[in-house]
Amino acid sequence: MLTDAGTGSGRGGHDVGGNRLAGLDPLRERPLLDDDPDGAVLVDILLVPLSAAVTEYTSAALRVRRRDPFWRRASPLGAIEGLLRRGSIYATPECRVRLEGRARYNLAFDAAALRAAHPATGGRTAANTP
């Protein structure tokens, strides 16, 4: 049960309003399948949109960046680069096989577009530089 604070190994567990997994940040945290299976599956689910068709990914990314306070404060390029630096974006074998390639393509495409839009700063603007 995802709301059970006792599930998983306890490593990296989060308890927000009684829900241990509610506070997971999929851009900053990578729960491992062996250590925290619930967290690993949840983060993979949250990252599934990264593997959408390019047009869907691009429009969804723009909507999120306009609405979500995290994206308005953070560096989208920094978050993208962080995901790309991971050995694998996804923790579960199923997501790795089915989604990893498309997600990496979308993220690389997005990073290149951000760099092209702001070449003097390498894709980072004053508003989104950490």
Side-chain angles (χ1 to χ4, degrees):
M1 174 180 229
L2 291 180
T3 58
D4 181 356
T7 60
S9 68
R11 285 181 44 181
H14 297 80
D15 191 356
V16 177
N19 185 341
R20 183 183 65 80
L21 300 174
L24 279 175
D25 181 347
L27 299 177
R28 292 191 175 119
E29 299 174 61
R30 172 76 283 165
L32 300 176
L33 192 56
D34 290 340
D35 295 334
D36 185 3
D38 290 341
V41 170
L42 179 62
V43 169
D44 277 4
I45 290 168
L46 294 172
L47 295 176
V48 163
L50 297 178
S51 66
V54 169
T55 54
E56 293 172 28
Y57 167 84
T58 303
S59 63
L62 290 174
R63 277 194 314 274
V64 167
R65 288 179 194 151
R66 287 186 194 123
R67 275 193 326 237
D68 190 322
F70 168 79
W71 283 103
R72 287 197 304 260
R73 288 188 316 270
S75 164
L77 184 58
I80 290 167
E81 290 171 339
L83 288 168
L84 288 171
R85 277 192 300 271
R86 291 180 179 175
S88 178
I89 294 169
Y90 299 99
T92 60
E94 296 82 4
C95 286
R96 283 186 194 138
V97 169
R98 295 186 70 215
L99 308 175
E100 186 84 22
R102 172 61 77 175
R104 286 191 176 278
Y105 174 84
N106 286 340
L107 291 168
F109 182 85
D110 200 1
L114 287 167
R115 286 186 195 101
H118 305 282
T121 61
R124 290 173 172 82
T125 64
N128 70 17
T129 301

